[in-house]
Structures are given as structure tokens and as C-alpha cells.
Amino acid sequence: MQINHDLTQRVVLNTDEIEWVKTRMNGVERRMLDRDGAESGRATSIVKFAPDSYFEEHGHPGGEEFLVLEGVFSDETGDYGPGMYIRNPIGSKHKPYTKDGCTILVKLWQMEEEDQDWVKKDTKKSEWLPGLVSGLQVMPLHNYKTENVALVKWDAGTVFNPHKHWGGEEIYVLDGTFEDEHGSYPKGTWIRSPDGSSHHPFTKEGCTIFVKTGHLIQN
């Protein structure tokens, strides 16, 4: 199965318009954003767990990274509410479940073998740092070599500098409306811009985005 698998191509998806697809586990559905393989291989998805649903115990041979969007995601290591950012490194395993239901943005098979940090960060309680321009705040989540992961909060009317994406850029709009010269992207939009692409981002109303940079090199 291949969905938006070519990392040299720009992709923009309003994830709210994508059909939910049932998984093999009752009560667990997903919206597939990119994929290079059926049930193994690189994948980015929105996954929704119905109340009292679970997924069988499984390993992460390529690592797992996710951000809780709604509800409370649980496994044997704890309960993780909205805004929790988790990285389970290559070789880890768990049995996820939820009591009341949850929705997560999840990425699989996208970690370097040497990047073995376990990360559990509550973005609702973490500190915002000043950004590179007025009206911008940044919350670093993880970095390894050229890969950087962060939340970025934009005040209404903020304009950022024109720039290139060395190693690519991936954005998920968490709230508000993010914009650039190519279009306007409301909450729930996923944008993947390839290595070497450029844009001039801004926002009229303000927004918060989940951002990854420097990680999109086509093998």
C-alpha cells in the first residue's frame, strides 16, 4: 500500500475530509496521510480509539511517535491526555487502550536507529520560548541530528521570514489558521513540504502548529 509515499512531492490534506478506515481491532479507526507499506513501513496517520477500545500488544521495529489530540490514551506506562507528546524508540512495545476514547496523530517507522531517547512531554505544562520574530513562541519537543520537532504558537497578524526547508518540513495545524503564499490551512490540515522547498508563512487570526523539520530525505 502506497499513499503519498514520494517524499519529493508537496502534500496538503484537510484531515477532517478523509474517510475513517477500520483497523483489524474493534473500535480503532484511522485516517491515512502517508504510507509506504501495508502494516509495516513508513506511515503517518490520525488514529481514533472508541471508548473502551484497545490495540493488541505490538512492537515498534521502526519506532513510534505520537501527539494526543483529544481524550486520554493509555498503556502500561501511564495515561496521556491532550497535548502529550510521546516517542517510543525502535524495539519498544506496548499494549495501548483507552477508557473514554482518544484521537492521536501517530508516525511509524520514521526514526534513526541511533535515536533511542524515550520522550514523554506534556505540552500543556511545558515552557514556551521566544521565537525568531515578534508574535512567535516555540516549544521544543525533540531533536536529533538534522531532525527538529516543536510546537509553534503564532499570535494574530504574525509574519515569519521567507525560508527554505533543508531536509523538508511537516506541519499539522492544531488550532487557528496557518497561511502562506500557497494557501490557507485551518485546524486539522496536514502539510508536507519536500527538501529544498520554500515559503513565506504568516497568519491573520493566529494558530498553533506541530512542526517537524530536517527529516524528509527520500531514500
Side-chain angles (χ1 to χ4, degrees):
M1 180 185 294
Q2 292 183 323
I3 300 171
N4 298 321
H5 66 288
D6 184 352
L7 300 183
T8 67
Q9 300 299 308
R10 183 173 186 264
V11 180
V12 178
L13 298 174
N14 184 335
T15 64
D16 291 336
E17 297 176 352
I18 299 174
E19 181 180 359
W20 289 107
V21 177
K22 292 182 178 179
T23 71
R24 63 182 184 273
M25 304 304 296
N26 287 335
V28 183
E29 301 175 296
R30 64 190 174 197
R31 287 171 166 160
M32 294 180 280
L33 310 183
D34 72 17
R35 199 165 192 87
D36 193 5
E39 291 302 329
S40 64
R42 182 187 182 92
T44 304
S45 308
I46 307 290
V47 179
K48 180 171 65 174
F49 290 73
D52 294 319
S53 61
Y54 66 92
F55 212 88
E56 63 192 8
E57 183 177 82
H58 60 278
H60 302 126
E64 176 190 57
E65 173 187 25
F66 66 89
L67 179 69
V68 181
L69 303 177
E70 299 176 350
V72 178
F73 174 96
S74 302
D75 63 15
E76 54 269 49
T77 67
D79 301 316
Y80 306 109
M84 283 297 301
Y85 173 72
I86 308 293
R87 290 178 72 93
N88 294 317
I90 292 171
S92 60
K93 64 179 180 179
H94 66 165
K95 184 177 181 179
Y97 65 93
T98 180
K99 179 181 178 182
D100 298 320
C102 66
T103 304
I104 63 175
L105 170 66
V106 59
K107 301 178 70 63
L108 302 172
W109 288 87
Q110 297 179 45
M111 291 184 182
E112 299 253 2
E113 289 186 9
E114 299 85 4
D115 185 4
Q116 287 292 299
D117 286 349
W118 293 81
V119 178
K120 292 179 172 62
K121 188 157 189 175
D122 187 349
T123 66
K124 301 295 186 183
K125 299 179 180 179
S126 299
E127 181 182 7
W128 289 98
L129 305 177
L132 294 177
V133 299
S134 178
L136 208 67
Q137 297 180 75
V138 178
M139 183 185 297
L141 300 177
H142 183 71
N143 65 81
Y144 182 78
K145 293 184 178 178
T146 63
E147 178 180 346
N148 287 281
V149 189
L151 295 190
V152 183
K153 185 189 296 184
W154 300 62
D155 290 345
T158 300
V159 179
F160 195 65
N161 307 314
H163 60 279
K164 279 196 172 185
H165 304 128
W166 302 114
E169 178 185 63
E170 191 173 346
I171 289 172
Y172 182 82
V173 182
L174 295 169
D175 62 49
T177 301
F178 176 78
E179 300 173 79
D180 63 14
E181 69 271 36
H182 306 299
S184 180
Y185 316 105
K187 177 181 177 179
T189 303
W190 180 72
I191 309 159
R192 193 186 70 202
S193 300
D195 179 31
S197 60
S198 63
H199 71 161
H200 190 180
F202 62 94
T203 178
K204 297 185 184 74
E205 69 175 70
C207 63
T208 303
I209 59 177
F210 172 74
V211 184
K212 288 173 62 74
T213 59
H215 64 301
L216 295 173
I217 305 298
Q218 186 83 51
N219 293 325

